Every structure is written in structure tokens, then in C-alpha cells.
Amino acid sequence: MQRFAFRMQLKPGMVDDYRRRHDQIWPELVDLLHDAGISDYSIFLDEATLSLFAVLRLAEENRRESLPDEPVMKLWWAAMAPLMEVEPDNRPREWPLVPMFHMA
């Protein structure tokens, strides 16, 4: 397993909607993420900047790179696009984060 972390950017006034949608995450999306080798996925909010910090575990043989081709992922991204900064295909803009310290 490897850890992967990245930052995303929420738009002003969208904190409650973002939280509510994730509280009601679609079961088929959760299944897709698990099937792609993603587990232990958390997203944290920096309230001062509206930056979202995501950290997850990737199985050695994961399919994270294939997720943009999945219909359920495309629907989720389209639903989330009004709430956050996105790429032209509606996937959230991601800024990878460099590991600096880890304590097990």
C-alpha cells in the first residue's frame, strides 16, 4: 500500500453543500473507488483558505488513473463541479502534495 495526498480548492459558500454531498456519497461510487484499489480515503478542510486536503491509500496494483473513464465517476464530478475548481472535463483540480513526514 502506498499513501497519496493532494489538495483541491472549494469555492466560497460551498462548504455545507460539499459536506452534505459527501455525507450522502453514492454507494456505487464507493464500490468503484474500492474496486480501483483506493481505501482509507479522508478529505479535510482548511476553513481559512477553503483548501481541501485529501489523503488515501492506494493498492500496489491500483486503477486510479482509469477512474476518469468510468461513467459513475463522470456523473459525480459533474455533480460536484459547481462547488469546486475543476478541469475542463469536470474532474477536480488537484495539486499533489509532497510527503515530508510520516509517523506510523
Side-chain angles (χ1 to χ4, degrees), residues 1-71:
M1 281 277 177
Q2 61 181 335
R3 286 170 297 138
F4 180 71
F6 56 96
R7 184 178 69 80
M8 298 175 287
Q9 189 62 44
L10 204 54
K11 292 179 180 176
M14 297 298 158
V15 171
D16 291 338
D17 285 338
Y18 187 88
R19 183 186 308 274
R20 183 174 39 259
R21 291 182 191 189
H22 280 80
D23 286 346
Q24 300 170 356
I25 194 166
W26 307 335
E28 59 271 27
L29 178 58
V30 172
D31 290 342
L32 175 65
L33 295 173
H34 283 148
D35 291 345
I38 295 171
S39 63
D40 200 16
Y41 190 173
S42 298
I43 301 172
F44 299 88
L45 172 67
D46 176 351
E47 292 180 307
T49 65
L50 297 180
S51 290
L52 297 165
F53 169 77
V55 62
L56 52 89
R57 290 192 179 273
L58 290 171
E60 292 302 322
E61 307 252 343
N62 71 78
R63 295 188 337 271
R64 183 177 185 272
E65 297 301 322
S66 70
L67 290 175
D69 299 325
E70 297 290 340

Side-chain angles (χ1 to χ4, degrees), residues 3 98-104:
R3 286 170 297 138
V98 177
M100 298 295 287
F101 171 78
H102 174 72
M103 186 182 83

